[in-house]
Amino acid sequence: MQTIGGGGPGGGRTRYGRPGGDRRERAGRTDRGGRAEWTARADRQGRPQRGPSGEGFKTAEQPLRDPDHFPPGYTDERDTTEVPDGVRLQKVLAQVGVASRRACEEMIGAGRVTVDGQVVRRFGARVDPAKQVIHVDGKRIPTAPDLVYFAINKPIGVVSTMSDPDGRPSLADYVADRKERLFHVGRLDTETEGLILLTNDGELANRLTHPSYGVQKKYWAKVNGTIERGLGRRLRDGVELEDGPVKADDFKIVQEHGRQALVEIVVHEGRKHVVRRMLAEVGHSVIDLARIEFGPVKMGRLKSGTLRALTLQEIGELYAAVGL
């Protein structure tokens, strides 16, 4: 009877019921130095396995595998995310409000969490929240401790900048108690009220305002004139302005009363006064205009002149909207 650790005639180790003996004997052929099968098989996979002296060795990419137990081309999913002096992953997730620490551990164990693109299932994994990118269920989680995200309902008469040389009221007046240097995401003209985002996340702010990412903004406009049939199709097809054509992503009538109407228009353009100019071009001057949504963020019941922090879900959806 053969044993797992017993020696046969060749002095080799029996491997789970297989005859022992020298590995080169099982390989069936050798090279001049008596070493062929292990190195040759590795070479056929495109990874050189010889050192300067001709001895086989393990590369830094993948260890050499016994071909009797691993299929050709087998590779490990190596976890390269560990930061030895970092913070435990479940603690990071709990601190930013994903869930309780116990629930976060369950998410990690279920493979729902990635760090720098790699699935991490180790409960004790340590990460650097300031530098590494973490996703939960495919959505990025803001883990850098110094980043903040706000929505403000800008009132009419306030300039959409963080300062004004003429001394007019500006967005800076509403965040004067914040120590962070905040960026405003997008602008509204002085006579337009509504939703503006404020953050010190420069990369996110740049992408949200860049036209190539096509982040949609929704407006409500009170206009003069009766809305004619087919106006929505005309705006979606595009109208010509003095600085080029522009299209509405969506349009609908919210309410009509006499010779005035409240309409909803969605655009992803960021040109100056683009909504006012579009509606004027089709014969409807704007009386009042308000932005009620910016991408996935909705103004909701946020009162004029007030500020609120974005939710974790809203931040994740903003990241997703611009491919972060």
Side-chain angles (χ1 to χ4, degrees):
M1 174 176 166
Q2 296 174 339
T3 61
I4 291 176
R13 176 180 295 180
T14 302
R15 299 178 58 80
Y16 302 97
R18 299 184 183 181
D22 191 284
R23 289 177 175 175
R24 292 192 297 273
E25 294 175 8
R26 299 204 311 274
R29 69 180 189 274
T30 61
D31 64 7
R32 288 175 296 179
R35 305 171 299 271
E37 184 64 16
W38 296 114
T39 303
R41 291 194 184 203
D43 286 346
R44 286 198 296 272
Q45 296 173 16
R47 294 191 297 271
Q49 299 291 330
R50 291 182 182 273
S53 64
E55 295 295 331
F57 64 90
K58 296 180 181 180
T59 68
E61 297 157 343
Q62 290 291 323
L64 197 58
R65 296 294 186 183
D66 185 341
D68 289 334
H69 295 279
F70 294 89
Y74 175 86
T75 57
D76 288 326
E77 291 186 6
R78 294 191 166 202
D79 184 353
T80 61
T81 64
E82 183 73 11
V83 177
D85 57 348
V87 184
R88 291 190 183 276
L89 180 56
Q90 60 266 41
K91 181 179 179 180
V92 171
L93 297 178
Q95 284 179 334
V96 298
V98 173
S100 68
R101 192 174 299 192
R102 177 64 181 273
C104 290
E105 289 177 348
E106 294 175 355
M107 291 178 179
I108 294 169
R112 296 167 58 187
V113 181
T114 65
V115 180
D116 290 342
Q118 286 189 285
V119 176
V120 176
R121 295 177 182 268
R122 295 175 292 104
F123 296 150
R126 292 183 177 273
V127 298
D128 183 345
K131 296 181 179 179
Q132 293 179 291
V133 177
I134 301 174
H135 287 76
V136 176
D137 293 334
K139 289 185 179 179
R140 182 170 172 176
I141 304 301
T143 56
D146 58 339
L147 294 183
V148 294
Y149 307 83
F150 298 107
I152 184 172
N153 184 351
K154 183 194 84 69
I156 292 174
V158 174
V159 182
S160 296
T161 60
M162 299 310 294
S163 64
D164 184 69
D166 298 326
R168 294 173 295 179
S170 70
L171 296 174
D173 298 333
Y174 297 89
V175 290
D177 59 335
R178 304 294 310 186
K179 64 181 184 299
E180 305 91 355
R181 183 192 175 199
L182 297 174
F183 307 97
H184 57 88
V185 181
R187 292 190 179 191
L188 295 173
D189 63 69
T190 308
E191 297 307 311
T192 299
E193 62 183 318
L195 189 62
I196 287 182
L197 306 182
L198 300 173
T199 182
N200 58 347
D201 188 334
E203 183 179 12
L204 178 63
N206 288 334
R207 292 200 181 197
L208 287 172
T209 54
H210 199 284
S212 64
Y213 292 99
V215 178
Q216 293 183 331
K217 279 81 72 175
K218 182 181 289 186
Y219 296 81
W220 273 9
K222 183 179 179 182
V223 299
N224 282 314
T226 303
I227 304 300
E228 63 273 21
R229 189 181 185 89
L231 178 62
R233 184 183 304 110
R234 183 180 174 189
L235 288 169
R236 286 188 289 268
D237 289 342
V239 296
E240 190 71 31
L241 303 180
E242 64 272 17
D243 53 354
V246 62
K247 294 181 180 181
D249 297 324
D250 197 14
F251 176 86
K252 69 178 182 181
I253 301 170
V254 178
Q255 191 179 70
E256 289 185 285
H257 183 73
R259 295 282 300 169
Q260 293 183 347
L262 180 64
V263 300
E264 180 180 286
I265 184 168
V266 180
V267 298
H268 62 267
E269 288 265 10
R271 281 183 271 173
K272 188 175 182 180
H273 304 310
V274 66
V275 173
R276 292 180 182 273
R277 291 190 291 145
M278 286 176 70
L279 292 171
E281 182 65 25
V282 296
H284 297 280
S285 59
V286 173
I287 302 170
D288 292 312
L289 183 64
R291 181 158 67 200
I292 61 171
E293 293 182 16
F294 194 116
V297 181
K298 296 175 173 58
M299 187 165 65
R301 296 183 178 181
L302 187 63
K303 294 181 179 179
S304 180
T306 58
L307 189 78
R308 72 169 176 85
L310 297 188
T311 67
L312 196 62
Q313 181 174 342
E314 287 173 327
I315 299 168
E317 290 174 348
L318 284 172
Y319 279 130
V322 294
L324 287 174

